[in-house]
């Protein structure tokens, strides 16, 4: 491919939002004849980083590659095509990928026909793709999050025509149904209900890497779930960067509450959803969650900061009082509900008092689980342009102090389950010890347990909790 044929990412284009409704493409996925057998006698290695949306994309990519007759392998050494499906949410995620790409270079020496590829959110970044172009000449293929359906053509070009291939669309196209999928789980599945994000929190790169909010239709989501039920799946997790916004672009009023209720009525045993933004979490949603036993009592509710001024600068659209009110409402209406959250420390100019308010909200909510991060500037976002007066040591110290508290409450919340019996969806025997099984409770707690019965992955069993640790519970089946 000649250099000027590259389709490179552009963050300004990625930021644009059009009012136009997105077309939903329902044609069957077909590949050109010459590409159909590209994978015969060839193997691929796929490694996915980051969030569940990426994991689900990985399943589509694997589905497409298997349709081309590629075989998936577990180590890069065996592969003819290596693909890293990447995350751009923080710099350390990007550094990991660049390190991995560097270390995989050696495999090109033993296998010059090896095709090395990178896709996912990092591919949407101007700066990163520029680095790849200049410093990673062994990377043959780069494609973006809006280009996955074009993989057969792009891979053919890189593999058969030996052309370095870079194709990153900075604006979303249609919502494409009917792409192949290879589910990596046997009883738990991810289901996209929408793509993209329009929130533009000032620190976040996701609205740029994943485009504007586009919902799938309710009938497509429900049809996918029915297929999963027929295939024996027990749990679905409905995915969206902010599921509360589901249906707004399609003009469906109260979209997520309605969808959730319809999914509950399918009778699938367990329903989860992520992520919910605290800003538009409606009462109707709470009522539906409370009303159906198959909607799991577990809510991931990112708070980000405990200080209202900081939340405003972050573009979060709620005050900490509003967060607390929502939290209380959820806790009082949903029986035995558990919460997890995301928290950022060291946002530009965060004061010690502001950080103290973050500790206060942790004391107040006592989260079952918290994902805590040091703020990482992302090129193209408004926060990346802010001057910052907080030294890195201070940020690190705040993270340590925060984690001490969040870990304390994670343990405390687990301790409360000692002596109680809970329902566990079995994942299978534990990797370390075949006599011990593991699975998750309704509150999304990992349980390792012993049993004298014959059980298998996908069963839901009653387990009495005998011991609690910070990140897991121990128990025995009753
Ligand atoms: N720096 C640090 N953390 C971030 N997150 C998103 N963007 C950044 C950033 N630039 C965190 C938020 C979000 C989670 C998925 O990642 O807490 O909820
Ligand atoms: Fe990022 Fe905010 Fe959208 Fe979440 S809601 S993906 S933090 S912009």
């Amino acid at each position: 491919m000649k250099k000027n044929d590259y389709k490179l990412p552009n963050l300004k284009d990625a930021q644009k939002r059009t009012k136009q409704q997105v077309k939903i493409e329902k044609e069957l996925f077909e590949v050109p004849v010459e590409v159909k057998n590209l994978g015969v006698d060839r193997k691929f290695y796929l490694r996915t980083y980051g969030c569940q949306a990426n994991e689900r994309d990985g399943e589509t990519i694997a589905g497409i590659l298997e349709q081309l007759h590629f075989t998936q392998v577990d180590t890069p050494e065996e592969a003819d095509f290596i693909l890293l499906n990447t995350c751009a949410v923080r710099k350390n995620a990007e550094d990991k990928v660049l390190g991995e790409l560097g270390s995989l270079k050696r495999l090109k020496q033993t296998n010059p026909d090896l095709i090395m590829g990178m896709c996912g959110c990092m591919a949407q970044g101007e700066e990163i793709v520029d680095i790849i172009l200049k410093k990673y000449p062994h990377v043959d293929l780069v494609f973006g999050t809006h280009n996955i359906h074009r993989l057969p053509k792009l891979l053919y070009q890189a593999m058969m025509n030996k052309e370095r291939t870079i194709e990153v669309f900075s604006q979303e196209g249609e919502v494409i149904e009917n792409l192949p999928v290879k589910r990596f789980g046997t009883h738990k599945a991810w289901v996209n209900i929408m793509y993209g994000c329009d929130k533009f929190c000032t620190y976040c790169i996701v609205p740029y890497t994943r485009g504007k909010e586009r919902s799938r239709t309710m009938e497509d989501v429900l049809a996918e779930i029915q297929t999963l039920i027929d295939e024996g799946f027990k749990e679905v997790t409905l995915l969206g960067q902010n599921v509360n916004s589901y249906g707004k672009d399609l003009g469906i009023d109260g979209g997520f509450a309605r969808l959730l209720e319809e999914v509950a009525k399918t009778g699938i045993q367990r329903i989860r959803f992520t992520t919910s933004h605290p800003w538009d979490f409606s009462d109707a949603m709470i009522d539906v969650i409370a009303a159906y036993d198959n909607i799991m009592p577990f809510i991931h509710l990112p708070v980000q900061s405990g200080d209202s001024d900081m939340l405003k600068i972050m573009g979060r659209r709620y005050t900490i009082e509003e967060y607390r009110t929502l939290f209380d409402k959820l806790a009082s209406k949903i029986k035995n509900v558990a919460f997890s959250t995301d928290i950022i420390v060291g946002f530009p100019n965060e004061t010690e008092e502001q950080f103290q308010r973050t500790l206060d909200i942790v004391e107040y909510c006592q989260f079952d689980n918290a994902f805590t991060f040091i703020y990482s500037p992302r090129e193209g976002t408004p926060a990346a342009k802010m001057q910052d007066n907080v030294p890195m040591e201070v940020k690190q110290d705040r993270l340590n102090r925060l984690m001490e508290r969040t870990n304390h409450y994670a343990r405390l919340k687990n301790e409360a389950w000692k002596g109680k019996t809970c329902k566990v969806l079995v994942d299978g025997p534990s990797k370390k010890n075949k006599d011990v099984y593991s699975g998750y409770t309704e509150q999304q707690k990992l349980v390792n347990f012993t049993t004298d019965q014959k059980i298998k992955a996908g069963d839901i069993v009653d387990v009495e909790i005998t011991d609690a640790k910070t990140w897991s519970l121990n128990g025995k089946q009753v």
Side-chain angles (χ1 to χ4, degrees):
M1 191 186 244
K2 293 187 291 296
K3 257 194 176 158
N4 47 14
D5 286 340
Y6 292 162
K7 180 75 194 131
L8 297 171
N10 178 304
L11 287 167
K12 280 233 153 52
D13 286 347
Q15 190 178 7
K16 284 184 194 139
R17 290 296 183 266
T18 53
K19 285 262 179 285
Q20 230 170 330
Q21 194 162 330
V22 169
K23 208 179 130 230
I24 297 182
E25 176 60 69
K26 297 208 187 194
E27 287 282 305
L28 270 185
F29 179 73
E30 289 205 56
V31 291
V33 256
E34 69 274 18
V35 189
K36 258 189 177 147
N37 294 318
L38 189 63
V40 173
D41 295 329
R42 290 199 173 101
K43 303 186 183 102
F44 77 94
Y45 170 80
L46 172 67
R47 178 148 178 212
T48 294
Y49 300 77
C51 69
Q52 292 99 335
N54 247 22
E55 290 288 340
R56 180 63 189 78
D57 282 353
E59 294 183 331
T60 298
I61 290 165
I64 293 176
L65 291 172
E66 292 204 342
Q67 187 160 327
L68 305 181
H69 307 290
F70 280 90
T71 309
Q72 187 164 15
V73 289
D74 296 331
T75 59
E77 286 76 14
E78 299 167 79
D80 304 283
F81 173 37
I82 295 176
L83 184 61
L84 304 188
N85 181 22
T86 64
C87 169
V89 83
R90 279 170 295 276
K91 185 170 183 296
N92 53 8
E94 292 189 337
D95 288 344
K96 246 191 260 168
V97 168
L98 291 177
E100 186 70 13
L101 281 175
S103 105
L104 288 170
K105 187 176 175 183
R106 70 196 142 83
L107 297 177
K108 275 258 175 169
Q109 273 133 29
T110 43
N111 178 7
D113 290 333
L114 174 67
I115 296 292
M116 191 89 78
M118 183 185 96
C119 64
C121 286
M122 270 171 83
Q124 299 294 135
E126 289 172 30
E127 213 174 25
I128 290 288
V129 173
D130 197 47
I131 292 174
I132 297 285
L133 280 173
K134 293 191 178 127
K135 298 195 183 144
Y136 293 77
H138 62 290
V139 176
D140 311 280
L141 171 63
V142 177
F143 62 95
T145 58
H146 307 306
N147 305 69
I148 294 177
H149 62 292
R150 308 237 326 134
L151 175 58
K153 281 189 195 128
L154 301 174
L155 185 55
Y156 183 87
Q157 191 163 306
M159 203 167 246
M160 303 312 284
N161 300 349
K162 307 243 180 277
E163 291 170 3
R164 195 173 201 200
T165 301
I166 316 253
E167 188 185 276
V168 181
F169 298 157
S170 289
Q171 287 210 288
E172 62 291 327
E174 304 89 4
V175 165
I176 304 179
E177 294 294 338
N178 296 320
L179 288 177
V181 53
K182 177 187 182 186
R183 304 268 175 196
F184 294 150
T186 53
H187 56 281
K188 298 196 279 196
W190 311 112
V191 176
N192 286 316
I193 62 167
M194 58 190 300
Y195 306 95
C197 182
D198 288 347
K199 288 285 180 288
F200 287 100
C201 301
T202 55
Y203 51 81
C204 188
I205 196 66
V206 170
Y208 307 80
T209 62
R210 296 249 160 207
K212 80 165 178 175
E213 284 175 0
R214 290 101 71 206
S215 302
R216 295 178 68 201
T217 68
M218 235 188 243
E219 67 176 331
D220 285 330
V221 173
L222 291 169
E224 181 173 344
I225 291 170
Q226 193 52 55
T227 307
L228 289 165
I229 294 173
D230 297 343
E231 290 171 354
F233 282 83
K234 301 288 162 56
E235 178 178 300
V236 290
T237 301
L238 309 179
L239 290 181
Q241 297 303 333
N242 171 25
V243 293
N244 312 6
S245 292
Y246 172 79
K248 283 185 185 161
D249 56 317
L250 300 179
I252 309 176
D253 227 17
F256 189 61
R258 280 176 58 189
L259 177 70
L260 202 51
E261 180 151 34
E262 291 307 315
V263 176
K265 285 186 193 155
T266 65
I268 187 149
Q269 275 165 305
R270 287 187 165 195
I271 301 156
R272 302 185 184 279
F273 53 89
T274 197
T275 297
S276 304
H277 192 296
W279 179 65
D280 43 7
F281 205 123
S282 68
D283 285 349
M285 277 167 59
I286 303 176
D287 291 341
V288 173
I289 300 166
Y292 288 88
D293 285 345
N294 58 347
I295 302 178
M296 295 297 100
F298 174 78
I299 313 244
H300 181 58
L301 198 66
V303 66
Q304 312 298 2
S305 164
D307 180 80
S308 293
D309 290 339
M310 187 53 80
L311 289 169
K312 190 156 195 195
I313 302 170
M314 287 176 161
R316 291 293 288 177
R317 309 175 188 211
Y318 53 85
T319 63
I320 201 62
E321 290 75 25
E322 286 164 338
Y323 183 91
R324 228 182 289 147
T325 304
L326 172 65
F327 180 90
D328 289 343
K329 211 185 313 179
L330 287 161
S332 70
K333 287 200 170 175
I334 303 168
K335 222 173 95 199
N336 284 328
V337 66
F339 292 93
S340 67
T341 197
D342 293 339
I343 300 172
I344 298 176
V345 298
F347 192 82
N349 310 310
E350 181 191 56
T351 64
E352 175 60 25
E353 291 70 36
Q354 288 177 315
F355 172 66
Q356 283 295 336
R357 286 188 199 109
T358 295
L359 293 178
D360 291 345
I361 194 71
V362 168
E363 297 297 326
Y364 186 86
C365 297
Q366 309 196 350
F367 298 106
D368 290 75
N369 198 1
F371 301 91
T372 52
F373 312 105
I374 291 182
Y375 164 71
S376 169
R378 305 286 62 213
E379 187 215 11
T381 62
K385 296 190 193 82
M386 296 176 193
Q387 285 285 341
D388 186 7
N389 63 14
V390 188
M392 197 36 144
E393 308 84 75
V394 175
K395 295 180 195 245
Q396 187 62 56
D397 178 61
R398 285 181 191 163
L399 182 71
N400 296 346
R401 285 154 66 203
L402 175 64
M403 283 172 69
E404 193 278 316
R405 293 325 289 158
T406 53
N407 292 353
H408 168 78
Y409 284 115
R411 169 117 202 187
L412 197 76
K413 288 281 161 165
N414 279 352
E415 295 277 352
W417 284 93
K418 261 205 228 165
K420 292 188 180 151
T421 297
C422 41
K423 296 217 170 302
V424 174
L425 174 56
V426 181
D427 279 334
S430 112
K431 281 194 189 96
K432 286 187 215 138
N433 181 351
K434 290 271 168 284
D435 298 329
V436 174
Y437 280 76
S438 68
Y440 284 85
T441 69
E442 299 191 322
Q443 285 77 11
Q444 184 78 319
K445 291 183 183 291
L446 173 63
V447 184
N448 294 305
F449 63 97
T450 53
T451 178
D452 47 22
Q453 296 170 45
K454 269 230 140 348
I455 58 171
K456 57 181 190 316
D459 289 348
I460 294 179
V461 299
D462 286 321
V463 175
E464 188 191 323
I465 304 305
T466 52
D467 202 8
K469 303 181 182 177
T470 305
W471 309 121
S472 64
L473 301 169
N474 291 345
K476 57 175 194 294
Q477 188 181 354
V478 290

